[in-house]
């Protein structure tokens, strides 16, 4: 059972904000058929209840010279805590996210790098931390995300 009732209009507002977090209340109101005030109240409620946890920016990493994206499956030594996993990854500026997972591996580490040589440097750096016992890296060829 969800913590809050979210209807079709709320879902439409969330999709609109996901597409462009800088949309005005008036723009969203016109698209969902509500008044600007009613739209603002709904967005405020979604924020207050924690459905919306923040607003962010989408970056074109290629324009910043970080054209290669990869995910590295990482296995850690048996006694490594989640905090230690995050600590190890956070020291690497190329690491974008860490997902701790259940199964054969311990974490899925998302990295962005300039090129394949840079990727090799990052993987080597991670392996030298002493807590990682194995890696397998997957290159991202394309991306689709739900809006």
């Amino acid at each position: 059972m969800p913590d809050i009732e979210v209807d079709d209009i709320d879902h439409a507002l969330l999709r609109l904000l996901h597409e462009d977090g800088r949309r005005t209340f008036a723009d969203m109101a016109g698209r969902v058929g509500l008044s600007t005030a009613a739209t603002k109240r709904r967005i405020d409620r979604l924020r207050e209840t924690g459905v919306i946890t923040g607003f962010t920016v989408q970056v074109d990493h290629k324009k910043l010279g970080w054209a290669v994206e990869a995910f590295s499956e990482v296995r850690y030594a048996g006694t490594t805590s989640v905090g230690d996993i995050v600590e190890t990854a956070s020291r690497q500026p190329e690491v974008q996210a860490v997902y701790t997972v259940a199964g054969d591996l311990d974490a899925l580490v998302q990295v962005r790098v300039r090129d394949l040589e840079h990727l090799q440097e990052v993987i080597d750096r991670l392996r030298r931390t002493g807590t990682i016992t194995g890696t397998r890296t997957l290159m991202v060829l394309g991306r689709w995300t739900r809006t």
Side-chain angles (χ1 to χ4, degrees):
M1 190 77 170
D3 292 342
I4 179 175
E5 289 293 322
V6 179
D7 63 17
D8 290 343
I9 293 175
D10 291 329
H11 282 289
L13 291 170
L14 291 169
R15 274 192 303 280
L16 290 168
L17 284 171
H18 187 76
E19 290 170 3
D20 182 358
R22 293 181 56 157
R23 283 188 194 275
T24 65
F25 293 123
D27 175 61
M28 289 186 288
R31 292 173 186 260
V32 299
L34 293 177
S35 69
T36 301
T39 298
K40 182 183 182 318
R41 282 193 301 274
R42 281 180 178 253
I43 299 296
D44 288 346
R45 178 178 56 85
L46 292 168
R47 289 182 69 198
E48 290 165 5
T49 57
V51 172
I52 296 174
T53 59
F55 297 88
T56 188
V57 63
Q58 293 180 1
V59 175
D60 185 341
H61 295 280
K62 291 177 187 168
K63 291 187 177 177
L64 297 175
W66 299 75
V68 176
E69 180 180 20
F71 285 88
S72 189
E73 298 175 349
V74 180
R75 287 164 194 80
Y76 287 83
T79 58
T80 304
S81 70
V82 172
D84 290 340
I85 291 170
V86 172
E87 169 69 24
T88 299
S90 68
R91 289 191 304 258
Q92 312 302 320
E94 298 87 353
V95 172
Q96 302 293 296
V98 175
Y99 305 90
T100 54
V101 297
D104 189 39
L105 57 134
D106 297 306
L108 194 58
V109 178
Q110 178 188 14
V111 297
R112 287 205 179 265
V113 293
R114 293 182 303 274
D115 52 34
L116 295 178
E117 291 165 2
H118 188 193
L119 177 61
Q120 182 66 54
E121 290 171 23
V122 172
I123 299 303
D124 287 346
R125 228 182 302 133
L126 284 170
R127 287 178 178 159
R128 284 193 305 266
T129 63
T131 58
I132 294 175
T133 61
T135 63
R136 187 176 107 187
T137 301
L138 309 163
M139 302 287 297
V140 174
L141 300 177
R143 173 188 287 261
W144 173 86
T145 57
R146 182 171 305 279
T147 57

